Amino acid sequence: MWLPRGLAPLGERNFALYWSGQMLSQTGTWVELTATSWLLYSITESPVLLGLVGLFRAVPIVLLSPIGGTIADRVPRRRLLFVTQSASVVLSLILGTLVLTGTVQFWHIYLVSFCSSVVGAFDGPTRSSMFPTLVPRGQLQNAVTLHAVLFRSSMLAGPAVGGWLIAQFGTAAPYYVNALSYFALIAGLLAMRLPPNEVARARPSVGADALSGIRYVLRSPILPLILVIEAFLNVFGSNSALITIFARDVLGLGAQGFGLLLAGQGAGAILGTLALVLVGDVRRKGLVMIGAGSVYAAAMVSFAWSRSFELSVACLVVLGCVDAVWGAIRNTIVQLVADDEYRGRVMGLTIVTTRGVTNLAQVETGAAVALLGPVAAATLGAAVVALTVLGGAARSERLRTFAGGAPRHATRSPV
């Protein structure tokens, strides 16, 4: 079947199964994250305690993702995903049952969030390093963009569904919906037709392998700078804790309004990723990434000072759009620069600066809001983002002019 160039990876059976399973699974994840943020703030009524959950999510990601990426380079990735997805089902059912029985305490949320992040430290690098092996290398950038479409679509649907489920059926329902959603990816993995796994060669210890991955990244002329900028953007940028506080305390919204704010950000993200699909290969990748980061900071300042629900949604639409462009281009650059032999370890370090540091952002948000108030905290965060992006652009001509292609002499990794 003929497909437009941007959609060509969906013509690959294995990638199509993986993509559709991920779509449902990621949507369920956002349903649960929306419920968890609302539930925790309802229980504690404290910005600090709301932000503290980010610490419990961040620590396992930061400490274990490099190990998770190393394992993803050493074992069959599909088998590892079976384990992580099954564990995630159990954790969602546990928290949903605690909510349903009325016995949930804020520390339960911290504990389950910590365990989920332990699982995520192995799941995330495995997902990211697996999907490029499901398409020909010539389709890699389009596959990365479609993966971004998947993630951003889940950001659109998940919060809206989560807010609706809370309003209609109570806070326990999103956890059971998320548990069910994991089976979509499990079914897709089972249906894939994959070649026999390559026979693993003799390898050093896991620790030595992880250190070799760190050295590989540090030797790169571009990867360290991308990861540093990404870390600052994720710490000081927009996050669910900040939007929760603005929804309740600044705009005076309920659960459905909160869900619509998050959905507005997801809608913008869809627009950004669809634009990339239509445009196809972006030649000036570094310049586009820097421009997106600058607009992100401006949209965040506008959101901070808005007192209108409609204007706030519009700001989040813009923010989500440029964030999607930033993320897709950044991930494309990383995937193109990384050799397949080190892909899992590179993805592990990337996840430290995306998921791990993003969770720490909730701690920063809680502390900054408690000290400065929500408007000043968001404004300060936007200023830090702008200075970091522009400083990185000024520092590295290679980043500004990056338009690279796939690495030569790449080998196909086992899945």
Side-chain angles (χ1 to χ4, degrees):
M1 179 178 64
W2 179 86
L3 290 172
R5 184 176 179 183
L7 301 179
L10 294 177
E12 301 287 331
R13 183 178 185 275
N14 287 338
F15 185 83
L17 288 168
Y18 182 71
W19 191 88
S20 57
Q22 279 258 62
M23 173 68 78
L24 292 175
S25 178
Q26 285 293 310
T27 300
T29 297
W30 276 100
V31 167
E32 179 169 315
L33 288 174
T34 303
T36 297
S37 188
W38 189 259
L39 172 66
L40 185 56
Y41 200 42
S42 298
I43 291 174
T44 65
E45 298 289 341
S46 167
V48 174
L49 292 178
L50 174 62
L52 188 60
V53 72
L55 181 64
F56 289 91
R57 290 173 177 163
V59 169
I61 295 294
V62 171
L63 295 181
L64 297 179
S65 287
I67 302 299
T70 302
I71 298 300
D73 282 337
R74 296 168 67 101
V75 305
R77 290 167 182 160
R78 178 166 62 166
R79 187 181 305 167
L80 184 55
L81 282 178
F82 284 140
V83 175
T84 59
Q85 294 296 294
S86 299
S88 296
V89 170
V90 173
L91 290 170
S92 292
L93 290 176
I94 289 173
L95 193 51
T97 302
L98 288 171
V99 176
L100 185 64
T101 58
T103 58
V104 67
Q105 303 292 324
F106 73 91
W107 65 267
H108 292 144
I109 299 173
Y110 292 159
L111 179 59
V112 173
S113 296
F114 180 87
C115 294
S116 294
S117 286
V118 171
V119 174
F122 294 87
D123 183 82
T126 307
R127 289 195 197 201
S128 298
S129 58
M130 182 177 178
F131 82 84
T133 68
L134 304 177
V135 297
R137 289 197 66 84
Q139 295 182 14
L140 179 56
Q141 180 171 344
N142 291 328
V144 169
T145 302
L146 286 171
H147 194 262
V149 171
L150 174 158
F151 181 76
R152 303 302 177 172
S153 297
S154 68
M155 286 181 63
L156 171 64
V161 172
W164 180 81
L165 286 171
I166 293 170
Q168 298 296 321
F169 303 104
T171 313
Y175 296 98
Y176 291 102
V177 169
N178 187 36
L180 185 63
S181 74
Y182 288 114
F183 289 99
L185 181 55
I186 292 173
L189 292 169
L190 287 171
M192 289 179 188
R193 298 170 184 165
L194 298 173
N197 295 317
E198 295 179 6
V199 178
R201 67 184 188 279
R203 302 191 69 134
S205 67
V206 171
D209 245 1
L211 287 175
S212 71
I214 294 173
R215 288 194 293 267
Y216 173 82
V217 169
L218 292 177
R219 288 196 302 267
S220 169
I222 195 169
L223 286 176
L225 183 59
I226 289 179
L227 295 181
V228 168
I229 296 175
E230 180 75 15
F232 272 88
L233 189 145
N234 282 315
V235 167
F236 294 98
S238 176
N239 58 71
S240 61
L242 183 69
I243 296 175
T244 301
I245 293 166
F246 267 81
R248 285 277 304 269
D249 299 344
V250 177
L251 299 174
L253 303 175
Q256 287 185 294
F258 166 59
L260 289 173
L261 281 180
L262 292 179
Q265 187 170 344
I270 292 296
L271 293 176
T273 49
L274 287 179
L276 287 176
V277 169
L278 293 175
V279 169
D281 186 38
V282 176
R283 174 95 182 141
R284 301 292 297 276
K285 296 178 180 65
L287 189 61
V288 170
M289 189 179 76
I290 291 165
S294 302
V295 177
Y296 181 103
M300 188 173 172
V301 169
S302 300
F303 174 76
W305 289 92
S306 169
R307 297 299 177 269
S308 161
F309 172 71
E310 292 78 11
L311 179 58
S312 295
V313 171
C315 291
L316 290 177
V317 169
V318 174
L319 189 149
C321 181
V322 294
D323 185 42
V325 172
W326 165 279
I329 296 297
R330 181 262 304 156
N331 199 35
T332 298
I333 294 173
V334 172
Q335 293 279 11
L336 290 173
V337 169
D339 292 314
D340 283 341
E341 180 182 354
Y342 288 92
R343 191 178 302 280
R345 282 162 284 181
V346 172
M347 291 301 105
L349 293 172
T350 301
I351 285 173
V352 170
T353 62
T354 52
R355 287 185 55 189
V357 174
T358 298
N359 288 320
L360 283 176
Q362 297 187 50
V363 180
E364 183 274 334
T365 293
V369 168
L371 290 173
L372 306 174
V375 175
T379 303
L380 175 63
V384 172
V385 169
L387 289 173
T388 303
V389 171
L390 296 177
R395 181 180 178 85
S396 174
E397 181 181 1
R398 185 182 292 267
L399 177 61
R400 295 194 305 270
T401 61
F402 183 89
R408 291 173 296 178
H409 310 302
T411 57
R412 191 173 179 88
S413 298
V415 293

